[in-house]
Amino acid sequence: MTQLIPRWFPDASIRSCDKVASGFSGAIVWKLRLEDEPSFAVPGLHDWAIRCWPAETSLERVLEIHSVIRHARQLQCGFLPQYRPCQRSGLTAFENQQRVWECSQWMPGAPPNLVRSVKSVAPQLGFALAQFHNATASMGRQFSKSALVIDSRLHRLRTLEKISNQGSFAPAAMKSDVKLHWASNILQQHWTTKVTTAKTVLNELQAISWHQQYVLRDVHCQNTLFDNEQLTAILDYDALRIDSPAADIARLIGSMQLGLTEELWQGVSEIFSEAATETKTEGYKELVWQSLLAAYRQIRAFSEQEERLARLLVEVSPVVNLANWVVWLAQEPARFQGRMEEAIVRMCDWARVVQGDCSDRGPS
């Protein structure tokens, strides 16, 4: 690492450079803190994020992502970081030892506490997504039959169906691992009904022409940062591509299901109590939907057709996500080397969402 830092900061004094926790994508991130401010650095910026992209990511792909993020940032999307160009090439990424490297502004904040602040978090994120979509609307915009999110979801459903038909979801084949057996059993119970309905609607929507543009496609709550309940950043652009804006809305609202148990949804209900008309969890979730979409639509249109797609994706995603985690853990455990416990927790979280009983933590 020390030999790479001078590519961005050839004369800077380094206070620290520490590896930080990262997700399951295979990327590695360090937080770089500079001792002083070189004349070529951005005034006031001492902290930077150095990222080593996953091995399969090309330099061309990273530079494409950077161009989109840079364009959106220039159009008032201050919740996106600025990238530090290399001193020699002027590019914002380079290859070293068959990996792509970048340096960007370190964004302050932490993922939101949804129970305490969902009433302010949901509209802020809805507004920010609308800002981003407005900014990127002129880049690669197109109308075409079917959207990427529809095609990719149908393709994954067909792949998982083949695995299911081969008996790979059968709990009997997984009794060696109690939690995997428990999650697989839940998947078996809900798979056919949910997937049959989803495929019918997705096939119908596939025949429709959709507005598509650059969208983030992985707007998970854990990829958003807040400071004093104010949005400071939306991070993680690995999945950025041309797709329907509905993909971002669905991913964001769907991710909220993971962090909120039944008891925590009751806490959310108290925040929305003055507007609540139902006492069931689904009623509170609907209020989150309404809050986020209302903020989005203040500055950008979101059609009924797009909302229908987003809601369908949120409905089907839990069972697809659970199937993915069951398959990965049963057939590809090596990909989670050193992080197996985290992966099992994620699988169990999706199992709880699928069965609709968020209080059930699964077998110990």
Side-chain angles (χ1 to χ4, degrees):
M1 176 56 63
T2 54
Q3 71 272 19
L4 296 180
I5 293 174
R7 296 204 184 193
W8 300 289
F9 305 105
D11 302 317
S13 298
I14 300 169
R15 183 183 304 178
S16 60
C17 186
D18 303 310
K19 186 182 291 187
V20 298
S22 54
F24 291 105
S25 69
I28 309 172
V29 180
W30 290 263
K31 181 177 183 180
L32 171 66
R33 173 160 290 185
L34 302 179
E35 192 68 50
D36 53 12
E37 293 181 11
S39 59
F40 51 80
V42 180
L45 284 186
H46 291 266
D47 296 342
W48 299 83
I50 295 178
R51 189 176 200 257
C52 176
W53 281 74
E56 65 274 12
T57 309
S58 69
L59 176 61
E60 181 181 18
R61 169 69 177 145
V62 173
L63 292 175
E64 176 194 11
I65 292 171
H66 286 188
S67 69
V68 176
I69 299 301
R70 184 167 56 248
H71 175 84
R73 181 179 169 82
Q74 290 171 347
L75 295 179
Q76 309 305 313
C77 292
F79 49 84
L80 303 174
Q82 56 182 305
Y83 292 100
R84 176 70 190 160
C86 299
Q87 288 296 293
R88 290 184 178 179
S89 69
L91 298 178
T92 52
F94 63 85
E95 289 181 296
N96 184 71
Q97 296 183 348
Q98 300 182 324
R99 300 288 287 269
V100 179
W101 297 75
E102 70 178 30
C103 180
S104 64
Q105 172 189 1
W106 182 268
M107 305 299 280
N113 181 321
L114 291 176
V115 174
R116 187 179 64 225
S117 56
V118 68
K119 194 172 183 179
S120 65
V121 165
Q124 284 187 72
L125 290 175
F127 192 85
L129 281 181
Q131 282 184 302
F132 179 80
H133 293 161
N134 267 347
T136 61
S138 61
M139 305 180 69
R141 185 174 181 173
Q142 63 183 44
F143 284 87
S144 62
K145 278 197 173 181
S146 190
L148 175 61
V149 68
I150 297 174
D151 293 341
S152 60
R153 188 49 50 92
L154 279 170
H155 180 268
R156 187 58 181 164
L157 283 172
R158 294 183 187 112
T159 300
L160 290 170
E161 271 192 313
K162 290 179 181 178
I163 296 173
S164 176
N165 292 337
Q166 294 168 358
S168 298
F169 290 167
M174 301 178 179
K175 288 184 177 179
S176 59
D177 187 299
V178 175
K179 290 185 177 179
L180 192 57
H181 173 75
W182 171 77
S184 179
N185 193 33
I186 291 172
L187 178 61
Q188 285 280 95
Q189 295 170 22
H190 295 273
W191 176 257
T192 301
T193 302
K194 289 184 179 293
V195 169
T196 300
T197 302
K199 282 179 61 181
T200 300
V201 180
L202 284 171
N203 280 317
E204 173 191 336
L205 296 177
Q206 195 174 35
I208 299 174
S209 293
W210 294 88
H211 159 72
Q212 297 185 77
Q213 61 174 78
Y214 276 112
V215 298
L216 296 167
R217 300 185 76 244
D218 192 21
V219 195
H220 193 288
C221 271
Q222 291 300 307
N223 294 337
T224 67
L225 303 180
F226 285 77
D227 187 18
N228 292 323
E229 298 189 11
Q230 296 298 310
L231 177 67
T232 57
I234 295 179
L235 303 174
D236 199 340
Y237 320 118
D238 300 46
L240 182 149
R241 279 181 174 79
I242 292 176
D243 202 348
S244 167
D248 280 352
I249 298 293
R251 182 72 174 107
L252 177 59
I253 292 183
S255 73
M256 292 182 179
Q257 298 177 97
L258 275 184
L260 293 172
T261 64
E262 188 71 25
E263 292 82 4
L264 294 182
W265 273 115
Q266 295 298 324
V268 171
S269 75
E270 296 175 5
I271 296 174
F272 281 107
S273 59
E274 69 276 14
T277 57
E278 300 184 43
T279 57
K280 295 182 178 180
T281 298
E282 288 307 313
Y284 309 137
K285 292 179 181 179
E286 179 59 28
L287 291 173
V288 174
W289 266 102
Q290 293 175 8
S291 176
L292 190 146
L293 289 179
Y296 186 100
R297 285 170 168 153
Q298 285 181 20
I299 59 173
R300 181 175 174 80
F302 192 72
S303 69
E304 291 183 6
Q305 181 174 284
E306 288 174 315
E307 181 177 344
R308 183 188 180 200
L309 173 57
R311 287 179 178 273
L312 175 65
L313 292 171
V314 170
E315 178 67 25
V316 72
S317 287
V319 72
V320 174
N321 291 335
L322 175 57
N324 284 335
W325 283 101
V326 167
V327 169
W328 291 334
L329 285 166
Q331 301 182 7
E332 308 171 45
R335 69 189 294 169
F336 304 111
Q337 187 174 10
R339 304 187 65 180
M340 183 61 75
E341 285 302 315
E342 292 177 65
I344 290 174
V345 167
R346 183 68 62 86
M347 176 190 68
C348 291
D349 284 344
W350 280 120
R352 292 186 296 104
V353 174
V354 168
Q355 72 173 345
D357 182 4
C358 292
S359 62
D360 185 356
R361 305 303 298 182
S364 57

